[in-house]
Each structure stands twice: as C-alpha cells, then as structure tokens.
Amino acid sequence: MRLLPHPATEDIELTEVLRALSDPVRLEIVVRLALSGVMNCGEAGDDLGVHKSTASHHYRTLREAGVVMTKQEGRLKFMSLRRDDLESRFPGLLDSVLSAAGIPSTALGPAADVPAPR
C-alpha cells in the first residue's frame, strides 16, 4: 500500500478546502465518501457524468486541498474523507457542508482507518 502525497493536517488551508468543495462534482464525491467511508476511484466516479481524466482531476484537487486521503494498492486507488483532520482544523465545517448537501449526520459512513500523513 502506498500513500499518495497529502498536506499535513496543520497545512490544510480553509480557502483551499472551500475551493475544492465549491465544485458540484467534487461535492458529490465528498457526499459519496461520507456515506460509504472508503471507495475506490472507479466506484466514486460512477455516474458523475464526467470523463475519467476529469474525475482524476477532481480526485487530485480534493487530495491536494486536504479533503480526502488517497492510498494506492496495486492499480487501485482508495479514497476516504479526512474527517478528523478537517474537524481539528475547522470544527463543524464538514458536517455543515454535508448538512447543506442534504446528508443527515446519522447517515454518514464509518471513519476510514487510513493513517494521516507525517
């Protein structure tokens, strides 16, 4: 398993997180991850209505902003939300965004067990 480059928790910037979440496709990816916990990129991108290359761009934008954690196992990449990191940096932000997207907190999936970057 290989962890792709991510910003450290203390380096996550609010402006970058909000920019990443402002796109409807990226917000849909975040909603899907919130509901399922961990998804591979193929599953997360199903029925988004964008090409694979565009979906890859969205995944990278979310990862570089610090919204998701991505690990690679062989040819597959798995994503999960960085809930704990986002909560420690910006308390209530992710819950507010998901609530505004119509996702009740009771519907959220399990937190991922992907280690945080050093």
Side-chain angles (χ1 to χ4, degrees):
M1 168 181 26
R2 182 172 71 104
L3 197 59
L4 298 179
H6 298 81
T9 302
E10 61 273 5
D11 294 333
I12 297 174
E13 296 180 17
L14 180 61
T15 54
E16 292 303 308
V17 171
L18 293 175
R19 184 182 62 79
L21 294 173
S22 68
D23 184 276
V25 173
R26 290 192 290 264
L27 183 58
E28 176 61 27
I29 293 167
V30 168
V31 166
R32 291 177 182 193
L33 290 171
L35 293 172
S36 67
V38 178
M39 297 179 84
N40 73 44
C41 290
E43 294 170 337
D46 283 348
D47 303 322
L48 284 178
V50 297
H51 291 281
K52 286 183 181 182
S53 60
T54 303
S56 293
H57 165 75
H58 289 307
Y59 302 150
R60 187 183 77 229
T61 300
L62 289 167
R63 178 177 49 83
E64 290 176 350
V67 177
V68 299
M69 179 70 62
T70 307
K71 64 179 180 176
Q72 185 169 353
E73 291 184 18
R75 291 176 42 180
L76 294 177
K77 292 180 182 172
F78 293 89
M79 294 185 303
S80 61
L81 289 178
R82 292 180 66 177
R83 284 189 201 161
D84 293 340
D85 294 337
L86 291 170
E87 186 63 27
S88 71
R89 288 285 289 151
F90 316 110
L93 175 67
L94 188 57
D95 289 339
S96 295
V97 168
L98 293 171
S99 177
I103 306 301
S105 61
T106 56
L108 299 180
D113 59 351
V114 179
R118 303 268 181 242

